[in-house]
Amino acid sequence: MGEVASIFLDNLIGFDGLILLAALCNVFAFLNTRNKTNRVYYHFNAQDKLVNLSADVKKAIKRTAKVERKKLTVNELLEYREQMNRSYAFYSNFTTMFPLLGMLGTVISLIPMVNLIGTETTGAFFAALTSTFWGIVAALVFKFLDSFLSYKIDDNEKHMEFLLNPGKREKQESDNK
C-alpha cells in the first residue's frame, strides 16, 4: 500500500498536480458563477414578488430569504444576466476539460512506456491511470455542482424572457385559460 501512496505523491508533483490546480481554479469559477446566478435568481424570486400569502408566511420568508433589498432596473438585470451567462459559460467549459486533461496525462505517461517494455512498466502504467482517474473525478464533481446552477439559470432566463417580451406572458396566460 505504501508503494501506491508513493506513486500517487510522485504523480501529484507532475501532471496530476496540473489537474488539481485546474480543479481548484474551477472551484473559484463555480463560486463566482453561483453568486452571479443567485443575484438574478433572488431578484425574481424575492418575497415581495409573491402574492396570496398570509402575513405569517411572508414574515417567515422574509426572515430566511437572502434577498438584495435594492430594486434592480431592467438595465441592471440585463447586465447581471450577461455576467451570469459569461461566468457560467466559462465554468461549464472549464469543467468539460477534465476528462481531456486525464486523457492527456494518460498519453503523456504511456509514451515513455515504449522504452520500458519488459522492465518497470507497472509503475508507468499506474502513473497513466492516476491522471485519468483524477481528471474523471474532477469532471464528476464539477458536473454534480453544475446541477445546482443550471436550474437557476434556466429559471432566470425564463423570467428575463417575460421581462423583455411582456406580450408573450399575456399570450401564454390567456392560452392557459
Side-chain angles (χ1 to χ4, degrees):
M1 187 66 173
E3 187 177 323
V4 172
S6 174
I7 292 172
F8 266 105
L9 187 58
D10 289 344
N11 291 335
L12 193 57
I13 295 169
F15 199 79
D16 293 354
L18 177 65
I19 294 172
L20 180 63
L21 182 63
L24 290 174
C25 291
N26 211 30
V27 166
F28 290 111
F30 167 77
L31 295 173
N32 183 36
T33 302
R34 184 187 65 180
N35 290 339
K36 290 178 183 333
T37 301
N38 284 342
R39 182 182 298 150
V40 176
Y41 182 80
Y42 290 141
H43 172 77
F44 285 122
N45 295 287
Q47 72 269 4
D48 62 344
K49 305 259 189 310
L50 302 175
V51 293
N52 301 328
L53 296 176
S54 69
D56 293 337
V57 172
K58 284 184 181 180
K59 274 186 196 177
I61 291 173
K62 195 174 218 172
R63 272 194 316 268
T64 59
K66 300 177 189 174
V67 178
E68 287 185 17
R69 299 291 175 216
K70 177 186 164 196
K71 300 292 182 192
L72 301 174
T73 66
V74 172
N75 287 337
E76 288 172 322
L77 275 173
L78 290 171
E79 176 62 28
Y80 287 160
R81 173 186 175 212
E82 177 64 27
Q83 291 173 5
M84 174 192 72
N85 288 338
R86 194 175 326 120
S87 180
Y88 181 70
F90 175 79
Y91 166 73
S92 180
N93 289 322
F94 203 73
T95 297
T96 60
M97 220 173 47
F98 289 102
L100 296 174
L101 285 173
M103 300 281 188
L104 181 60
T106 301
V107 170
I108 288 171
S109 297
L110 287 173
I111 290 172
M113 284 180 60
V114 173
N115 294 332
L116 300 174
I117 293 177
T119 58
E120 300 175 18
T121 56
T122 308
F125 186 71
F126 190 79
L129 292 177
T130 60
S131 293
T132 305
F133 171 79
W134 288 118
I136 291 170
V137 166
L140 290 171
V141 167
F142 291 116
K143 208 55 179 154
F144 173 77
L145 291 174
D146 177 55
S147 65
F148 292 105
L149 297 176
S150 60
Y151 79 95
K152 286 182 180 178
I153 288 175
D154 291 342
D155 191 55
N156 291 343
E157 287 300 313
K158 178 184 71 174
H159 287 294
M160 277 294 182
E161 184 65 32
F162 284 140
L163 180 68
L164 296 174
N165 299 312
K168 187 175 182 179
R169 177 186 284 188
E170 293 164 5
K171 182 179 181 331
Q172 188 177 31
E173 287 173 356
S174 68
D175 290 345
N176 290 338
K177 289 182 183 180

